[in-house]
Amino acid sequence: MEESVERIFSNELVKLAGHFFQVNAGKPVKLGDAENYVFEVYRDGTPYILRMTHQSHRTKGQVLAELKWVEHLQNNGSEIPKVITSKENNLVEIVKGLDGTEFYCCLFEKAPGVRMKVTDENFDGPLFFEWGRTIGQMHKQTKSYKPETKYKRLDWYEEELLNVQLYSSDVPEQLMHQQELILKNLNALPVHQDNFGLIHSDIHNGNFHFHEGKIHVFDFDDCSYHWFASDLAIPLYYLIWSLEREGIKGLDEYAAKFMREFIKGYETENILEPVEYEKIPLFLKLRDLTLYNFFHKKYDLKNADSQLYKTVQKIERRIIESRPIVHFDPNVVH
């Protein structure tokens, strides 16, 4: 979390938020604080997830738009933890930081099951198939979603992490050129109901639990109007990143194995034209760009630890060389 937000946040705010949702937030367990504050809290011994979003990250309307879409997916068969209303029957409640700025608070059921690590025994074909099927089902249902006009999520081009110049003035010229090229290529892509819509945008293995053969997706904070192919590239991107950090070799072969099963599962629910799979390398490059910009936004990289610095340097090299994190051949999926 940015220092400016950390300074105005306190556990008292968590207690206040808990009061709205009738949960015990006296000793919250912090689960995350990268973009939002996320806590595990309890009501009558049952765990729930309390999320607090500062106004600098999302507007109240954007949070409501996310929750309304989640409800639509839930009502149409997606395995997603339910959104819990407050005692005032609101999806979002507001608490104010020490400076008077707002945090938008919401409560979710805790997803059953466990996170899956790339080193787990069951991190294999059946999981990859179900992962793809889950995303395909969400894409199928998002096609019928007609949000109320007052609730609107961002379009892909409104994402602030598309512009590194917002966070750093000391960026290689070649990287700036590649950033322009990625955006130019995205702007040239066709947009229609069968390839574009409201998507999760971050379904890596840290954002779902696996339980009794089903995937339960959570953390919809990044949902936006985007190409469906982006939602397919992101699991592949983070999978390869995790494997790389584990020192696993043969990543191109692993990627091919993953995508074969993943797309088989996806196509049991939703079919994309073959040309859409050809865009996956572009979306792998886009994720490199947004992650690079995220690190510049969140950290003082000149004083970062050596591991983070090396990670960012590796991403920078890939962007400059116009090289995705892994080779992906669209022909492997059929």
Side-chain angles (χ1 to χ4, degrees), residues 122-314:
N122 294 328
F123 203 87
D124 209 344
L127 174 70
F128 304 161
F129 182 94
E130 181 60 17
W131 198 340
R133 190 203 67 77
T134 300
I135 296 175
Q137 201 268 350
M138 289 167 62
H139 288 178
K140 179 174 69 176
Q141 297 305 338
T142 203
K143 292 179 187 177
S144 64
Y145 183 56
K146 300 289 185 281
E148 298 173 49
T149 51
K150 60 182 175 179
Y151 301 126
K152 177 71 167 66
R153 289 298 293 187
L154 296 177
D155 278 297
W156 72 271
Y157 54 82
E158 296 176 286
E159 166 63 71
E160 62 180 0
L161 294 176
L162 294 177
N163 185 4
V164 70
Q165 287 176 303
L166 293 175
Y167 314 110
S168 176
S169 56
D170 184 25
V171 178
E173 196 174 317
Q174 307 100 299
L175 190 137
M176 294 299 304
H177 173 69
Q178 289 299 328
Q179 178 174 276
E180 288 172 20
L181 200 56
I182 289 169
L183 296 179
K184 181 182 176 185
N185 289 335
L186 288 169
N187 276 307
L189 294 180
V191 171
H192 51 77
Q193 186 184 9
D194 291 327
N195 77 347
F196 188 95
L198 191 50
I199 66 168
H200 182 286
S201 288
D202 206 22
I203 308 182
H204 54 72
N205 58 301
N207 277 341
F208 65 75
H209 282 178
F210 192 56
H211 180 65
E212 297 179 352
K214 296 289 186 186
I215 279 174
H216 298 257
V217 178
F218 46 82
D219 192 1
F220 283 70
D221 175 61
D222 284 338
C223 67
S224 64
Y225 287 92
H226 222 302
W227 287 271
F228 295 155
S230 177
D231 239 8
L232 307 185
I234 285 164
L236 175 61
Y237 180 95
Y238 284 110
L239 172 64
I240 296 305
W241 195 14
S242 298
L243 293 170
E244 199 173 53
R245 282 185 291 181
E246 293 290 338
I248 293 170
K249 305 297 181 188
L251 296 181
D252 287 354
E253 292 78 12
Y254 198 110
K257 172 190 168 186
F258 171 75
M259 290 303 283
R260 266 194 297 270
E261 292 303 312
F262 180 81
I263 297 301
K264 270 187 208 168
Y266 182 85
E267 291 188 341
T268 63
E269 296 282 353
N270 191 56
I271 300 294
L272 293 180
E273 291 294 323
V275 69
E276 302 301 331
Y277 297 120
E278 294 171 11
K279 305 296 188 296
I280 286 176
L282 172 61
F283 290 111
L284 293 174
K285 292 179 187 178
L286 175 63
R287 180 49 49 137
D288 255 344
L289 176 65
T290 54
L291 198 57
Y292 180 79
N293 294 346
F294 171 83
F295 284 131
H296 276 85
K297 176 184 179 182
K298 294 288 182 180
Y299 301 99
D300 175 9
L301 293 173
K302 288 189 171 64
N303 297 302
D305 65 66
S306 61
Q307 192 57 48
L308 176 58
Y309 183 78
K310 284 177 188 171
T311 296
V312 176
Q313 287 299 107
K314 190 179 278 191

